[in-house]
Amino acid sequence: MARLLPARPEGRRLHPITPWRRTWAPIAALAVFAVQDFNRAREWFTQLTVGWLLVAFLLLLPAAAAYGFLSWWVTSYQVTDTELRIRTGLLFRRVAHIRLDRLQAVDVTRPLLARAVGVAKLKLDVVGTNDKDELAFVGEEEAVALRAELLARAAGIAPEAAPSAGEAPERELVRVPPSRLTVALLLMGTGWGFLAATIVAPLLIYWWTGSLGAAVATGVPMLGGAWVATLGRYLTEYDWKVAESPDGLRLDHGLLNREHATVPPGRVQSVRIVEPLLWRRLDWVRVELEVAGSDIGNSVLLPVAPRGVAAGVLARVLPGVDLAEAASVTRPVPRRARWAVPVWWRGYGHGVTDAVFATRRGLLRRELTLVPHAKVQSVRLSQGPWERRLGLADVLVDHGANGTASARLRDVEEAYAIVGAQAERSRTGRRTARPDRWLT
């Protein structure tokens, strides 16, 4: 029997439950085919008898199981002194060579069904790549031990000592109570807006066209948006914990799918402090990050927290940054900016501290963006025809997470001065910045 199977690569194996995860691939392929050519698929199904359907099921299930088993059979991973090798591929072989000194985060994810059987998924974040390699699935204890070993080797611990180094100690900084998260979501207008639109828009479409299909096609995507903004966000951000460790800030959260992520030291390129309208009386804020090399764009550091607590956590992410100081130095735009952006011009502002380039925007939903001087990669001045007539210009600051912070509607002479001064601050910041290295 072994001779009929492809050669099994050397290295450690994934958990035996993994084939069931891959069994769905052939079934998903048939589903995609049926959706793309729905009419032909419907004709085939109407012509099939119960006997043929039973035969098709008996053939499809073993084929899907065989595919899952063979995919698991040819997959392995191996940790060497310098890299992590992941071998996979049934028809087209692939070997991923992940240099340990380029590894910046190892996240452990436990989906609901995976938690039920005691397995976990490891996601590997490597400097210079947008896509994360993953190991799915391995046993929970093995996942924790492997994560600790990889981080220890990435931090420079000797290969022979890394397996016994264990998980780095952590100190809890803040935990978001479920009650506060519930109140925060109820006070956000986004969820209520989606819910209202989900009810009103399909009714209007049905009244206008008389087509139930068009109303359903309109309502289903909006219902998905309402889910993401309300209950979906609650399930994701439930029991949010932020802890400090030598390998970075650790984020644990999730009710059904439990996730463990790490924000590596020195990789944060910008921070956004979000303040919805109804949170202001409670002095609550939301903290979002942009991390270099991350494929998820904006990531959440704190879903909701009092301003003082958020300032304390922010000081651990960006040492030397004072949130109150950054908020106080932002200056409003000239009054003539109202001719460029009516009403909303009052929400724009800009300021600079010794540590960060700060911009402010928004009236109902305020956002304060902070970019450390050492993370600024380029500074640009942008000026449209109407802004030129008003003597205004925008200053755009680009950072390492492919993002931009904009100081909008500044006086043109002030904008030129900001560009020159910020370029010098960035050069000085890069020379004096601490190394982006773990355990330092």
Side-chain angles (χ1 to χ4, degrees):
M1 178 62 182
R3 295 180 180 179
L4 299 178
L5 296 176
R8 194 168 192 181
E10 60 178 349
R12 306 185 201 176
R13 310 300 171 200
L14 301 181
H15 194 276
I17 199 67
T18 304
W20 293 103
R21 169 181 178 257
R22 307 193 181 211
T23 296
W24 293 100
I27 300 176
L30 290 177
V32 171
F33 170 77
V35 171
Q36 290 180 344
D37 198 345
F38 180 75
N39 291 330
R40 179 177 296 181
R42 184 176 59 182
E43 292 177 2
W44 286 357
F45 276 108
T46 55
Q47 294 174 2
L48 289 176
T49 63
V50 176
W52 280 111
L53 287 175
L54 182 60
V55 171
F57 178 78
L58 293 177
L59 291 177
L60 178 61
L61 186 60
Y67 172 82
F69 174 78
L70 292 175
S71 297
W72 168 77
W73 180 268
V74 299
T75 301
S76 68
Y77 66 94
Q78 185 178 17
V79 182
T80 70
D81 291 346
T82 59
E83 65 183 14
L84 169 65
R85 298 173 187 166
I86 302 177
R87 296 179 173 88
T88 187
L90 181 58
L91 299 179
F92 302 96
R93 298 295 177 88
R94 175 180 179 268
V95 181
H97 298 266
I98 302 173
R99 286 174 48 187
L100 298 180
D101 59 349
R102 302 288 290 175
L103 195 65
Q104 68 175 13
V106 181
D107 300 336
V108 179
T109 303
R110 298 178 177 89
L112 178 61
L113 295 179
R115 291 167 63 186
V117 295
V119 297
K121 178 193 300 185
L122 267 73
K123 293 184 178 180
L124 310 168
D125 199 350
V126 184
V127 176
T129 62
N130 292 325
D131 298 328
K132 291 186 178 181
D133 285 287
E134 66 177 30
L135 293 173
F137 290 95
V138 295
E140 287 189 347
E141 294 183 359
E142 182 181 358
V144 173
L146 179 59
R147 177 186 181 277
E149 179 183 355
L150 293 176
L151 293 181
R153 295 199 183 193
I157 295 178
E160 59 274 9
S164 59
E167 187 84 345
E170 67 177 32
R171 181 174 67 91
E172 183 175 315
L173 298 179
V174 61
R175 186 184 292 267
V176 179
S179 58
R180 181 184 299 159
L181 179 62
T182 302
V183 174
L185 292 178
L186 291 176
L187 293 179
M188 288 189 67
T190 307
W192 295 108
F194 269 114
L195 287 174
T198 302
I199 297 172
V200 174
L203 292 177
L204 291 177
I205 294 294
Y206 180 74
W207 174 78
W208 182 263
T209 64
S211 172
L212 181 61
V216 172
T218 302
V220 169
M222 301 184 73
L223 184 62
W227 167 272
V228 171
T230 54
L231 188 56
R233 174 173 287 186
Y234 180 83
L235 295 176
T236 300
E237 299 176 352
Y238 179 84
D239 192 28
W240 193 284
K241 185 187 78 170
V242 181
E244 187 180 38
S245 72
D247 50 27
L249 287 185
R250 295 179 181 173
L251 310 179
D252 289 275
H253 57 93
L255 179 59
L256 301 181
N257 297 340
R258 194 69 185 170
E259 297 189 13
H260 176 105
T262 303
V263 180
R267 304 301 297 175
V268 176
Q269 304 296 301
S270 76
V271 177
R272 183 178 295 105
I273 311 298
V274 181
E275 189 179 9
L277 176 64
L278 298 180
W279 289 14
R280 294 177 196 170
R281 293 184 64 86
L282 300 172
D283 201 25
W284 289 353
V285 297
R286 177 182 176 89
V287 184
E288 299 175 350
L289 306 176
E290 290 190 88
V291 182
S294 175
D295 63 340
I296 58 176
N298 296 339
S299 59
V300 180
L301 176 62
L302 277 172
V304 57
R307 185 181 297 273
V309 174
V313 176
L314 181 60
R316 309 304 299 173
V317 178
L318 300 177
V321 175
D322 187 330
L323 179 57
E325 179 189 10
S328 64
V329 298
T330 56
R331 301 189 307 276
V333 300
R335 187 172 179 80
R336 63 182 182 276
R338 69 186 185 275
W339 301 111
V341 181
V343 181
W344 302 107
W345 66 276
R346 296 178 180 274
Y348 291 109
H350 162 69
V352 175
T353 70
D354 292 339
V356 294
F357 177 93
T359 64
R360 172 172 52 84
R361 58 175 294 176
L363 289 177
L364 301 180
R365 183 179 185 269
R366 295 176 182 171
E367 294 183 4
L368 177 66
T369 302
L370 310 177
V371 182
H373 297 312
K375 304 302 182 182
V376 175
Q377 295 192 340
S378 65
V379 186
R380 298 176 286 128
L381 187 143
S382 175
Q383 191 179 38
W386 187 239
E387 288 180 322
R388 283 198 298 270
R389 184 174 181 84
L390 295 173
L392 302 171
D394 300 336
V395 179
L396 309 178
V397 167
D398 303 314
H399 53 73
N402 296 325
T404 301
S406 303
R408 293 212 58 199
L409 305 176
R410 310 309 303 181
D411 181 85
V412 65
E413 293 184 359
E414 179 193 8
Y416 277 106
I418 291 173
V419 170
Q422 185 58 45
E424 181 58 33
R425 291 191 197 96
S426 301
R427 285 192 290 268
T428 303
R430 285 191 291 271
R431 286 197 300 267
T432 59
R434 299 187 304 174
D436 296 345
R437 181 73 172 173
W438 287 331
L439 301 180
T440 57

